[in-house]
């Protein structure tokens, strides 16, 4: 429920009262004596669903920006007339409410902090996210998401589009672009310092860290977070859900990938940087497209088939830009997704074939320890580089012909050229029970055999 207070300008008092009476709204009127051009102050409670249509009707009657309107949350209204009004606006269904366009703009504006505070919070988030990715620490990365103030800007831009608020739209897009740029630049600086200090947790190939690898080679499933965040963000404003939790979702889609861009740039890995940057742009487009679409579906659009609204064309234009951009940039993600499926299938098939080969009588002394499909590391669109098969046995040398035998068994499951590498480890007998333990010894006691097409 809402409680409205409207300061009505001279000559508009009767028009306002006629509208309220036609709606069956109980009101209180008092004279306004401040001498600021207002004739009266009208106060009345209404269901939340009634705020937007009522304000729109008052605007069409000439009660526009010159009037002063205050909308306040009301806890309880005890009135038989109000109960009838609420039933009419809820159409006999739930009394849950949709926030009016006017209140929606205010809430989006409140969630967008002053730029100085926004900058400081994002810089802190960038430092924490970069440290978390370098340390491969999920907990630290989550901490960076919690403090990033990205919810307001992400929603303000689209609310500005559908409500025709150019200031809100401009602020939202400016904050989003500037925020991502700040995170990337800060991450580059911090990662450069870490590299100069010799803090390379994963050696030369920094992206083998799990938290970083999934951001530089994203697949289509990465879109789920961004799309869900955009939808949930609008619902949090229009239906009163928790904005804090939704803000973490939006930060999850933007902060870690932006930090990954900075880290890979600092390490000079252009392909990985392109992959992470592509994920950032795709997530930005996804969040905005999902938010704009949700606003449209929720009814924040021009009403009436023949209504001409200044927000209709901009809404369609931005939706087309977001949608086309997303389709174009999502193509590489689809390729990565197909590669993931192919890699999983190849590994499963390779494990079955290796077990079948080693089950043959001549290989009774050998056992399969591990079968791994390795990619070539050519980010962001990788390909299968080789299949590494690790077998254990008591003899310290390779088994003649085994690599070729395994290669011929695995080759039909691969679409392109394939390298199969067989590595041998020594199974040592220890203890009274003569238990065989796989002891991987690199260098002197490890033998390897490769089979190529």
């Amino acid at each position: 429920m809402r409680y409205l207070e409207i300061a009505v300008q001279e000559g508009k008092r009767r028009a306002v009262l006629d509208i309220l009476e036609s709606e069956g709204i109980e009101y209180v009127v008092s004279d306004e004596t401040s001498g600021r051009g207002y004739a009266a102050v009208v106060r009345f409670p209404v269901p939340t669903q009634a705020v937007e249509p009522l304000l729109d009707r008052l605007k069409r009657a000439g009660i526009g920006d010159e009037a002063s309107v205050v909308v306040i949350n009301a806890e309880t209204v005890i009135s038989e007339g109000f109960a009838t009004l609420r039933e009419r606006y809820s159409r006999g269904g739930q009394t849950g409410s949709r926030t009016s366009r006017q209140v929606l703009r205010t809430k989006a504006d409140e969630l967008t902090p002053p730029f100085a505070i926004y900058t400081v919070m994002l810089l802190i988030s960038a430092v924490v996210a970069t440290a978390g990715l370098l340390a491969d620490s999920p907990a630290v990365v989550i901490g960076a998401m919690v403090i990033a103030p990205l919810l307001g800007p992400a929603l303000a831009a689209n609310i500005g589009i559908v409500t025709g608020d150019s200031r809100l739209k401009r602020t939202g897009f400016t904050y989003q672009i500037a925020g991502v740029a700040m995170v990337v630049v800060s991450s580059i600086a911090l990662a450069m310092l870490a590299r100069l200090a010799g803090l390379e947790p994963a050696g030369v190939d920094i992206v083998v860290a799990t938290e970083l690898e999934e951001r530089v080679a994203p697949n289509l499933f990465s879109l789920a977070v961004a799309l869900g965040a955009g939808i949930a963000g609008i619902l949090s404003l229009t239906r009163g859900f928790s904005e804090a939790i939704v803000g973490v979702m939006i930060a999850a889609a933007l902060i870690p990938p932006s930090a990954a861009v900075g880290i890979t740039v600092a390490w000079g890995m252009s392909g990985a940087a392109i992959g992470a940057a592509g994920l950032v742009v795709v997530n930005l487009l996804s969040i905005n497209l999902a938010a704009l679409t949700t606003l449209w579906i929720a009814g924040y659009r021009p009403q009436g088939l023949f209504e001409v609204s200044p927000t209709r064309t901009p809404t369609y234009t931005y939706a087309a830009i977001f949608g086309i951009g997303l389709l174009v940039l999502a193509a590489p993600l689809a390729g990565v997704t197909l590669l993931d499926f192919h890699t999983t299938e190849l590994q499963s098939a390779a494990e079955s074939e290796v077990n079948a080969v080693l089950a043959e009588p001549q290989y009774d002394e050998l056992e399969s320890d591990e079968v791994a499909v390795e990619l070539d590391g050519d980010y962001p669109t990788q390909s299968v580089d080789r299949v590494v098969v690790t077998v254990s046995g008591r003899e310290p040398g390779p088994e003649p012909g085994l690599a070729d035998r395994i290669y011929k068994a695995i080759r039909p499951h691969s679409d392109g050229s394939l390298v199969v590498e067989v590595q041998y480890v020594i199974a040592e007998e220890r203890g009274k029970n003569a238990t065989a333990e796989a002891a991987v010894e690199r260098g002197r006691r490890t033998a390897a055999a490769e089979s190529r097409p």
Side-chain angles (χ1 to χ4, degrees):
M1 294 173 291
R2 300 290 186 264
Y3 187 76
L4 273 65
E5 181 178 285
I6 302 178
V8 184
Q9 59 265 44
E10 295 284 352
K12 299 294 183 179
R13 174 172 177 164
R14 189 67 258 167
V16 172
L17 298 184
D18 287 343
I19 291 174
L20 297 181
E21 289 172 359
S22 67
E23 292 286 340
I25 297 174
E26 299 175 340
Y27 60 85
V28 175
V29 183
S30 59
D31 292 333
E32 214 287 324
T33 59
S34 65
R36 294 178 296 173
Y38 296 116
V41 176
V42 184
R43 302 177 180 86
F44 53 92
V46 292
T48 304
Q49 302 97 315
V51 174
E52 185 175 346
L54 180 61
L55 292 180
D56 288 343
R57 186 175 176 184
L58 288 171
K59 188 173 183 178
R60 288 194 295 270
I63 316 301
D65 296 335
E66 295 82 7
S68 175
V69 180
V70 179
V71 181
I72 305 170
N73 286 329
E75 293 293 334
T76 303
V77 177
I78 302 175
S79 168
E80 185 175 332
F82 182 82
T84 303
L85 184 66
R86 181 172 57 185
E87 179 67 18
R88 176 155 61 89
Y89 272 97
S90 64
R91 295 179 176 85
Q94 296 290 330
T95 57
S97 58
R98 190 199 77 165
T99 303
S100 67
R101 295 196 309 273
Q102 296 81 1
V103 175
L104 193 64
R105 284 200 298 261
T106 301
K107 293 178 70 174
D109 208 15
E110 290 175 349
L111 287 172
T112 305
F115 193 75
I117 297 176
Y118 179 74
T119 300
V120 172
M121 294 299 292
L122 267 188
L123 290 177
I124 296 172
S125 179
V127 171
V128 175
T130 304
L133 291 176
L134 288 173
D136 196 20
S137 173
V140 176
V141 174
I142 292 173
M145 302 174 192
V146 173
I147 61 178
L150 293 175
L151 175 62
L155 304 183
N158 298 283
I159 292 171
I161 292 172
V162 298
T163 61
D165 191 328
S166 58
R167 182 196 61 80
L168 196 60
K169 176 182 68 177
R170 183 173 58 253
T171 300
F173 283 127
T174 300
Y175 270 54
Q176 287 184 70
I177 296 172
V180 169
M182 282 189 290
V183 174
V184 171
V185 172
S186 302
S187 297
I188 291 175
L190 184 60
M192 287 294 293
L193 291 176
R195 192 177 184 189
L196 292 175
L199 303 177
E200 299 185 12
V204 177
D205 189 7
I206 187 68
V207 297
V208 300
T210 303
E211 285 295 313
L212 191 58
E213 186 174 20
E214 63 188 33
R215 268 93 187 188
V216 301
N219 56 32
L220 286 176
F221 298 111
S222 304
L223 297 179
V225 175
L227 291 172
I231 296 171
I234 292 301
L235 292 178
S236 71
L237 291 188
T238 61
R239 303 294 178 178
F241 301 149
S242 173
E243 291 95 355
I245 296 175
V246 178
V248 175
M249 288 183 63
I250 292 179
L254 296 177
I255 294 297
S258 299
V261 174
I263 293 173
T264 50
V265 167
W267 253 261
M269 304 181 68
S270 58
I274 291 173
L279 179 60
V280 172
V281 177
V282 165
N283 283 350
L284 274 173
L285 293 173
S286 301
I287 289 170
N288 285 279
L289 178 61
L292 192 60
T293 303
T294 305
L295 283 168
W296 184 268
I297 294 173
Y300 296 94
R301 61 181 184 271
Q303 301 296 318
L305 181 62
F306 302 104
E307 180 179 356
V308 178
S309 169
T311 64
R312 183 184 293 275
T313 299
T315 300
Y316 289 158
T317 301
Y318 278 102
I321 293 173
F322 296 153
I324 294 172
L326 185 58
L327 287 175
V328 172
L329 293 176
L333 273 64
V336 175
T337 304
L338 292 175
L339 174 64
D340 291 342
F341 288 150
H342 173 64
T343 301
T344 302
E345 291 176 353
L346 179 59
Q347 179 157 347
S348 178
E351 289 174 350
S352 298
E353 296 293 352
V354 169
N355 289 331
V357 170
L358 295 181
E360 297 175 4
Q362 63 268 38
Y363 305 121
D364 285 342
E365 299 298 321
L366 298 177
E367 294 182 359
S368 174
D369 275 6
E370 183 182 13
V371 177
V373 177
E374 296 185 354
L375 304 181
D376 58 10
D378 187 14
Y379 298 98
T381 55
Q382 304 179 83
S383 59
V384 175
D385 180 49
R386 63 182 59 213
V387 176
V388 179
V389 179
T390 304
V391 297
S392 62
R394 297 178 182 178
E395 297 298 326
E399 184 71 23
L402 178 59
D404 290 335
R405 181 72 181 83
I406 292 178
Y407 170 77
K408 291 177 182 179
I410 298 176
R411 180 65 185 85
H413 301 283
S414 177
D415 297 331
S417 61
L418 181 68
V419 174
V420 175
E421 178 180 306
V422 179
Q423 296 182 349
Y424 295 82
V425 296
I426 309 301
E428 296 182 349
E429 291 187 359
R430 297 179 182 177
K432 294 182 180 180
N433 295 327
T435 302
E437 296 184 4
V440 179
E441 299 182 10
R442 301 191 179 279
R444 180 173 62 87
R445 300 190 64 187
T446 299
E450 287 191 6
S451 182
R452 299 176 181 268

